[in-house]
Amino acid sequence: MSAATRLADEAPPRPIPLLDGAIRYRAADRRLLSGPQPDGLAEHLARYGARPRRSGRSLITAMDAIQLTGRGGARFPAAAKWRTALAAGGRGYVVANGAEGEPASAKDAALLQHRPHLVLDGLATAAETMDATGAVVWLHETAHATRHAIGRALAERRAAGLIEPPVHVLAGPDHYLTGESSAVISGLAGGPVLPAFQRVPAARAGLYGRPTLVQNVETLARVALLARTGPVAPQPGPMVTVAAGGLLTVLEPPPNATVARILQVSGVLGGPSAQPPQAVLLGGYGGGWATWTAIGGCPIGHLDGHGPVPADTPSLGAGIIVPLPRDACGVAETASALDYLARSSAGQCGPCVFGTRELADTMTRLATGRSRRHDGDRIRRLTGEIDGRGACGLPDGATRIASTALHVFAADVHEHLRRDRCLHPGSQAVLPVPEIR
């Protein structure tokens, strides 16, 4: 046996990636700019092999072993959700949730357009495990390219004679809350696509009172990989979207890649000597700010829950990283995000209708030089009054981004409050904020 062969045999196994390259979209309209070729069924089978008929119980144990969490933002343990649905009797519904509401995210679109069969493998595996009576891919109604990719993939699977549960592709309005799990269930039942006030988990009693498993498409893609490899194989790092320079760059860095390295690979940082950003928004508009000093050297795997992180570090949420340039105003960017969240409100509960709007208006006054003497204290009071009291997670996200802004941009807040002066005037907007129709 040659030395090269011996080294290859002794080398540790490498994780199977979801993506094999960066995918770039234009932030303004999520128009695809560049990326690897999408997988057809033949390419998918050559890359990953056929979908195994792995036992549902052993698969759930494997999900526990790798600490798989939902990738839509909440990061709830996937195995616990699956066990709840099974304990409720199964025979319900499984939903692949690809309605990407976060304006700074494009990972769901990237997966559904470039690796649709991997998501459909995970959906079929979930449906079989739950003995589901229905399986759905849920999208935004304006996600035309994504819907076309899924339709083409389903047609390929039918033509190949794959034996698996039938899948329906359905869509809701292009809105921030369309992907919220209770809003998904309401829409599927023919009602308004709005969050529900009920606190019964959908996995226990969802669509038509039946157990309903609503999982983000990345979660299902990872289930499809896990069914092939088991928990002993190395797991790839989390998918992330870097929003910068009017682009959304989706990539899958290794778990040991630092935030600084990810920004270098995505083209945001030119090299070790390049000027780093002043701060980073983690988790999108429902996440929070962190200083570059605290977060730049942190491995992405740690932010994904597999290692220590600096104190008070926001969650990675839906895998969003937004670097804030040195010349940008964090107060103004936060005000813009809060205004978007307030305009995206379902208008169903007081904490959101009044509290989120007042929070946005107060931060906007602060950002535009019209602040009142106690506006800083007003923001702190509002975050305490709103947090945890809404019908959905939108007001909680608003309080997180507002409270972390007060901490991370304390010097800027002081200048805006005391002198009506901005330390970073003249910078272009950083956060992508879509129009709300």
Side-chain angles (χ1 to χ4, degrees):
M1 180 184 293
S2 70
T5 302
R6 190 166 56 250
L7 286 174
D9 290 342
E10 295 172 357
R14 301 182 66 182
I16 301 176
L18 298 178
L19 300 176
D20 56 1
I23 301 174
R24 287 186 173 84
Y25 294 85
R26 190 167 64 184
D29 53 10
R30 284 188 184 156
R31 174 188 168 194
L32 179 64
L33 298 177
S34 64
Q37 286 296 312
D39 275 357
L41 183 57
E43 292 81 9
H44 168 74
L45 294 174
R47 187 189 303 274
Y48 299 108
R51 181 173 70 90
R53 306 291 180 179
R54 190 176 179 87
S55 165
R57 301 286 179 177
S58 66
L59 180 58
I60 293 174
T61 301
M63 291 160 63
D64 258 338
I66 67 166
Q67 301 176 24
L68 179 64
T69 58
R71 299 308 170 112
R75 299 272 162 164
F76 186 80
K81 184 182 287 190
W82 287 45
R83 287 194 178 101
T84 297
L86 284 174
R91 300 291 299 165
Y93 304 90
V94 177
V95 181
N97 188 359
E100 204 159 28
E102 281 281 353
S105 179
K107 70 177 181 65
D108 293 356
L111 262 181
L112 289 169
Q113 292 174 21
H114 293 265
R115 299 289 183 267
H117 288 287
L118 200 60
V119 176
L120 293 173
D121 279 354
L123 181 61
T125 298
E128 290 172 355
T129 300
M130 302 299 159
D131 194 19
T133 59
V136 174
V137 176
W138 178 252
L139 305 172
H140 278 138
E141 61 188 4
T142 58
H144 304 302
T146 299
R147 187 159 192 161
H148 177 73
I150 289 295
R152 183 177 60 243
L154 288 171
E156 285 184 305
R157 295 168 88 90
R158 287 192 296 269
L162 298 188
I163 301 173
E164 53 193 18
V167 175
H168 300 278
V169 182
L170 301 172
D174 194 1
H175 193 275
Y176 184 80
L177 293 173
T178 295
E180 198 273 341
S181 60
S182 64
V184 173
I185 292 168
S186 178
L188 291 176
V193 185
L194 296 173
F197 285 91
Q198 64 175 10
R199 295 303 181 194
V200 179
R204 185 182 304 157
L207 183 60
Y208 308 127
R210 301 300 304 162
T212 304
L213 197 64
V214 181
Q215 294 278 209
N216 177 261
V217 296
E218 184 191 345
T219 310
L220 292 174
R222 293 189 180 280
V223 166
L225 287 184
L226 189 61
R228 287 167 164 86
T229 66
V232 295
Q235 301 301 313
M239 287 182 65
V240 298
T241 306
V242 176
L247 301 176
L248 301 178
T249 302
V250 180
L251 60 160
E252 186 185 19
N256 62 349
T258 64
V259 174
R261 178 58 180 160
I262 292 169
L263 294 188
Q264 288 174 358
V265 171
S266 63
V268 177
L269 287 180
S273 61
Q275 188 178 45
Q278 59 172 305
V280 172
L281 179 64
L282 291 175
Y285 295 17
W289 295 100
T291 64
W292 179 254
T293 303
I295 209 69
C298 189
I300 195 68
H302 291 199
L303 294 176
D304 195 34
H306 300 283
V309 297
D312 301 321
T313 299
S315 167
L316 189 60
I320 299 168
I321 301 175
V322 187
L324 187 73
R326 289 282 173 178
D327 60 348
C329 177
V331 177
E333 294 298 327
T334 303
S336 177
L338 287 170
D339 179 68
Y340 172 74
L341 291 175
R343 289 184 291 117
S344 298
S345 167
Q348 297 185 119
C349 64
C352 201
V353 173
F354 302 109
T356 305
R357 171 41 63 194
E358 185 177 354
L359 193 59
D361 290 345
T362 306
M363 190 68 77
T364 299
R365 283 201 306 269
L366 189 61
T368 55
R370 298 180 290 109
S371 60
R372 300 169 186 172
R373 182 177 180 184
H374 298 293
D375 273 351
D377 294 334
R378 183 187 299 274
I379 292 171
R380 294 183 184 90
R381 174 181 59 80
L382 285 168
T383 58
E385 292 176 351
I386 298 169
D387 193 40
R389 292 177 170 84
C392 68
L394 186 148
D396 294 347
T399 62
R400 276 193 295 271
I401 195 171
S403 59
T404 55
L406 291 183
H407 172 70
V408 171
F409 308 118
D412 301 76
V413 171
H414 180 271
E415 291 296 313
H416 280 265
L417 273 174
R418 304 302 177 193
R419 304 185 185 184
D420 286 337
R421 183 171 72 93
C422 182
L423 295 175
H424 307 280
S427 174
Q428 292 183 339
V430 174
L431 296 177
V433 180
E435 294 182 3
I436 297 178
R437 293 174 295 177

